[in-house]
Amino acid sequence: MAIKSTNDLFALKGKIEKEKFELSKKTQVIVYQGTCGYASGAKGVLDTLNTELHERNLKDIVVLEHSCMGCCYIEPYISVTEPDGISTLYGYLTAEKVTQIVETHLMGGEIVQDYMVDINTPFFSRQKKRITKLLGKIDPFKIEDYIFYDGYQGLSKTLEMKQVDVIEKIKRSGLRGRGGAGFSTGVKWNFAYNTDSNQKYMVCNADEGDPGAYMNRAELEGNPHAVLEGMAIGGYAIGANKGYIYVRAEYPLAVDILNEAIFQAREYGLLGKGILGTSFDFDIEIFLGSGAFVCGEETALLASLEQKRGNPRPRPPFPAVEGLFGKPTVINNVGTLANLPLIMCKGAEWWSSIGSETTKGTKVFSLTGQIARTGLIEVPMGISLNEVVFDLGGGIAGGKKFKAVQLGGPSGGCVPAEHLDIPIDYESLQDIGCIMGSGAMVVLDQDACMVDTARFFLEFDADESCGQCLPCRRGLPLMIEILKRISEGNGEIKDLETLEDIATFMQKTSLCALGQTAASPTLSTIRHFRKEYEAHIIEKKCPAGVCKDLFHYEVDEELCNGCHLCALKCPEEAITGGKKEPHYIDQDKCIKCGNCYHACKFDAVLIK
């Protein structure tokens, strides 16, 4: 059924509401199945659940398959919602636990307390869900679920306005790009709108490549139509009739969901010719990226879309003026686009009512690393890092000490404990030499070596660099060589000044953002953890016990009770000693794998 007007859209929503009402009279079990859920065993949970319900002839129970709603630390998980609206969330599931839930809860009416997840923790209560509100709440393969929650109402209101008024509304909201740079979305659109051309393009940048980042994947897997609607809104505003979603081929589930979403949107007439009975035409194609990190840079992305090598080009001209195939092109991140239907539907003032003075709205982060509660979180701009790490995230896993938060991936920096109370917004983070980036937030504990961390990101960027310009092509290997010397105990204090000089040169002269920001993790670690660098250089010691050339393992004879567990874990048979006798590590054989250190239950293995 093609939707040919706003009235048709409302009529369809009314029909869907009746169907949802009938469904609500039954017990519903939702199995959450994003990519992370599949990796944790959600498919086995679903199969067991369906088998148990079939064998017990429980036909009145409805099983729904939704995406992950962000609480990755409890996966795999399900929820049970009764006809009276009471819902129970179960986590850390196995096939055996599912069987017990069917027997005790679905048949016996009694909640299984041992598997129930407490939703009153800050991870759930402190979030401000807007663009993630529907993740896990709708079936991403069904456009009707999105329409039920006012989907495409924002587009409907957009098509009733003049293009300049739409752009002005986006400007008034204060929306800034959620891909990293934080540039005003409305201003970018205005450039494209004011450029005369017979063809313009909207491009969604879903080439998420930062280590630890999976916000875009989760958003596409959980609510693809928000992005499609956002692209259509942008297309109308700038005068484009064609859109491309540049998405990583490594996201197969997201790609499948997007393909189905585009097909359904076309079937309903929400993409294609004469959308909602107007003269506005707009359609979308998917383009699969091959995993090149540099293609996250917008000009390299456009080159790839043109079937060329994904190399950045000098700017200006900027893509909004001369982009894809030489035509005006607006490139927006997944998170930016997903906010547009909310702004157009609920208003710029509503959208900007939360956030900081300079950075309005909310931001989605992937919270990973040595944190108790990993997952996808959406919080108001201006919230402190301390609140995120220790309230929402539950603090450091395993009771260890906090060391830093790595923000912004290879282009970002490390924030130490003394800056944890800083508000999360673009300007505040820049003041301490960091950036928000796309939203990857990796928490590091006491076992992280900052020299090794800096080296990891430099090596990542060196592998991903296009090698087109000299500063990046030569600067990165030089910095890696210096960090390698430091980690081996052969560094000198003057090396720190050399690193800073090379980094400054790269920032000023590299062609694209990859080279300009590649040294940021190194600069931030030197700035905030200089004593750790000096320990490597002066004391020839790695305080975290990571750099293998600067430490060794020893057994404390007084603490060792001869349990022999460390010897059993040693792959090189470097540990000797009889049962119930102190053990000894042969340093010539030891490869410093750390198995003995982690295996010892008596803290008898020491790092020296």
Side-chain angles (χ1 to χ4, degrees):
M1 177 187 105
I3 301 172
K4 298 181 179 179
S5 67
T6 299
N7 288 336
D8 286 350
L9 186 61
F10 279 114
L12 176 59
K13 183 184 176 185
K15 178 184 176 183
I16 297 168
E17 285 175 345
K18 292 179 182 178
E19 294 172 354
K20 293 288 185 182
F21 177 73
E22 291 301 316
L23 186 65
S24 69
K25 296 177 182 180
K26 298 182 178 182
T27 298
Q28 300 174 52
V29 181
I30 300 176
V31 182
Y32 300 92
Q33 297 188 102
T35 293
C36 45
Y38 281 125
S40 301
K43 184 64 167 60
V45 166
L46 175 65
D47 291 343
T48 300
L49 178 64
N50 283 327
T51 298
E52 291 289 337
L53 295 179
H54 175 73
E55 290 180 351
R56 299 169 192 272
N57 201 31
L58 299 175
K59 297 180 179 179
D60 290 335
I61 295 173
V62 179
V63 177
L64 303 173
E65 300 176 41
H66 291 183
S67 69
C68 175
M69 60 178 174
C71 41
C72 307
Y73 70 99
I74 65 169
E75 287 178 320
Y77 59 101
I78 66 173
S79 65
V80 178
T81 303
E82 308 290 353
D84 59 8
I86 295 176
S87 185
T88 305
L89 185 64
Y90 291 113
Y92 311 101
L93 297 180
T94 62
E96 293 75 17
K97 290 179 180 179
V98 171
T99 299
Q100 187 174 343
I101 290 170
V102 171
E103 292 175 350
T104 306
H105 189 160
L106 299 181
M107 295 182 68
E110 182 180 343
I111 293 174
V112 185
Q113 298 289 341
D114 290 345
Y115 310 148
M116 189 176 72
V117 176
D118 182 7
I119 60 171
N120 295 312
T121 64
F123 184 90
F124 294 94
S125 62
R126 295 294 301 279
Q127 291 194 52
K128 187 67 176 179
K129 292 199 170 191
R130 284 184 167 182
I131 68 172
T132 62
K133 187 175 182 179
L134 297 184
L135 301 193
K137 205 169 186 177
I138 64 174
D139 184 339
F141 282 103
K142 293 181 179 178
I143 190 174
E144 294 82 7
D145 279 15
Y146 181 64
I147 292 174
F148 174 74
Y149 287 102
D150 295 329
Y152 291 100
Q153 297 291 342
L155 176 59
S156 173
K157 292 183 178 181
T158 297
L159 298 181
E160 295 172 356
M161 300 169 63
K162 295 179 180 179
Q163 291 169 269
V164 290
D165 292 335
V166 175
I167 294 172
E168 187 56 38
K169 188 171 185 176
I170 299 304
K171 284 184 184 178
R172 198 167 66 248
S173 73
L175 176 64
R176 299 171 67 171
R178 292 314 197 238
F183 190 75
S184 167
T185 302
V187 170
K188 181 187 281 191
W189 286 12
N190 208 48
F191 288 140
Y193 171 76
N194 286 323
T195 303
D196 289 332
S197 178
N198 61 349
Q199 178 67 59
K200 298 179 183 180
Y201 297 102
M202 279 294 297
V203 174
C204 170
N205 184 351
D207 190 54
E208 185 174 51
D210 289 3
Y214 59 94
M215 304 78 57
N216 294 170
R217 173 182 61 74
E219 290 158 357
L220 292 173
E221 289 178 358
N223 189 10
H225 288 282
V227 176
L228 303 187
E229 184 179 4
M231 291 184 72
I233 291 170
Y236 174 79
I238 69 169
N241 62 10
K242 184 72 174 180
Y244 291 93
I245 300 177
Y246 189 98
V247 61
R248 300 177 72 81
E250 295 94 332
Y251 288 172
L253 179 59
V255 171
D256 287 346
I257 289 172
L258 276 172
N259 275 316
E260 181 62 22
I262 290 171
F263 172 79
Q264 291 182 5
R266 286 172 181 160
E267 287 286 293
Y268 273 109
L270 296 167
L271 286 177
K273 299 284 187 180
I275 295 174
L276 289 173
T278 69
S279 60
F280 175 54
D281 302 335
F282 188 77
D283 207 352
I284 296 172
E285 286 186 28
I286 294 174
F287 186 95
L288 299 184
S290 298
F293 180 69
V294 72
C295 286
E297 196 278 336
E298 58 182 18
T299 61
L301 183 153
L302 293 179
S304 182
L305 268 175
E306 293 171 345
Q307 305 291 329
K308 301 173 183 174
R309 182 182 173 88
N311 283 349
R313 62 167 172 77
R315 299 178 299 174
F318 291 93
V321 176
E322 186 178 321
L324 187 63
F325 307 118
K327 303 297 184 180
T329 304
V330 164
I331 306 169
N332 287 141
N333 170 267
V334 169
T336 308
L337 292 164
N339 272 294
L340 298 174
L342 296 174
I343 296 172
M344 298 310 299
C345 190
K346 298 191 176 185
E349 290 70 28
W350 170 86
W351 190 88
S352 62
S353 63
I354 61 173
S356 71
E357 187 64 30
T358 61
T359 312
K360 301 298 183 183
T362 62
K363 180 74 176 78
V364 180
F365 293 95
S366 56
L367 189 57
T368 62
Q370 303 306 311
I371 191 83
R373 294 192 284 261
T374 59
L376 201 71
I377 60 169
E378 185 175 3
V379 291
M381 289 293 202
I383 191 173
S384 72
L385 278 168
N386 190 65
E387 292 175 272
V388 170
V389 173
F390 290 96
D391 290 346
L392 280 82
I396 307 304
K400 294 187 177 182
K401 293 181 180 179
F402 169 87
K403 191 162 192 176
V405 177
Q406 208 285 330
L407 279 171
S411 304
C414 293
V415 182
E418 56 263 34
H419 290 301
L420 271 180
D421 288 328
I422 195 170
I424 301 175
D425 61 37
Y426 292 103
E427 285 70 26
S428 298
L429 291 172
Q430 287 171 2
D431 288 343
I432 60 168
C434 193
I435 65 169
M436 191 182 309
S438 61
M441 190 178 290
V442 183
V443 178
L444 307 176
D445 67 12
Q446 65 194 51
D447 293 333
C449 169
M450 305 318 289
V451 177
D452 185 68
T453 298
R455 180 177 162 185
F456 167 81
F457 284 110
L458 282 177
E459 289 176 342
F460 177 90
D461 279 325
D463 286 342
E464 297 293 338
S465 171
C466 70
Q468 197 177 182
C469 66
L470 180 65
C472 194
R473 186 171 68 245
R474 289 295 299 131
L476 287 172
L478 284 172
M479 293 185 72
I480 292 168
E481 182 182 329
I482 293 171
L483 286 177
K484 185 179 179 183
R485 275 206 314 269
I486 294 173
S487 68
E488 292 172 346
N490 299 318
E492 302 176 14
I493 288 296
K494 66 179 182 180
D495 286 337
L496 301 184
E497 184 178 342
T498 303
L499 284 170
E500 291 172 331
D501 288 343
I502 297 173
T504 301
F505 177 72
M506 289 177 61
Q507 287 176 332
K508 293 179 178 180
T509 60
S510 291
L511 174 62
C512 79
L514 187 149
Q516 293 163 10
T517 61
S520 296
T522 304
L523 288 175
S524 73
T525 53
I526 292 175
R527 177 179 180 177
H528 299 302
F529 298 93
R530 191 178 186 90
K531 289 183 178 179
E532 192 162 332
Y533 277 86
E534 292 173 348
H536 283 71
I537 295 168
I538 299 171
E539 302 172 33
K540 310 300 180 185
K541 178 181 179 182
C542 176
V546 172
C547 300
K548 293 184 177 182
D549 291 290
L550 302 182
F551 75 92
H552 66 274
Y553 293 106
E554 288 184 5
V555 177
D556 187 317
E557 294 185 4
E558 293 184 4
L559 294 176
C560 180
N561 70 351
C563 71
H564 208 57
L565 189 58
C566 60
L568 293 173
K569 295 290 185 179
C570 180
E572 297 297 315
E573 298 182 352
I575 303 177
T576 57
K579 289 269 187 176
K580 297 185 179 181
E581 294 179 0
H583 285 40
Y584 170 78
I585 300 176
D586 185 335
Q587 299 301 327
D588 292 331
K589 291 183 177 181
C590 179
I591 60 172
K592 300 177 184 178
C593 64
N595 285 358
C596 58
Y597 178 77
H598 295 292
C600 184
K601 298 179 180 179
F602 305 98
D603 297 324
V605 180
L606 309 177
I607 299 176
K608 293 286 189 176

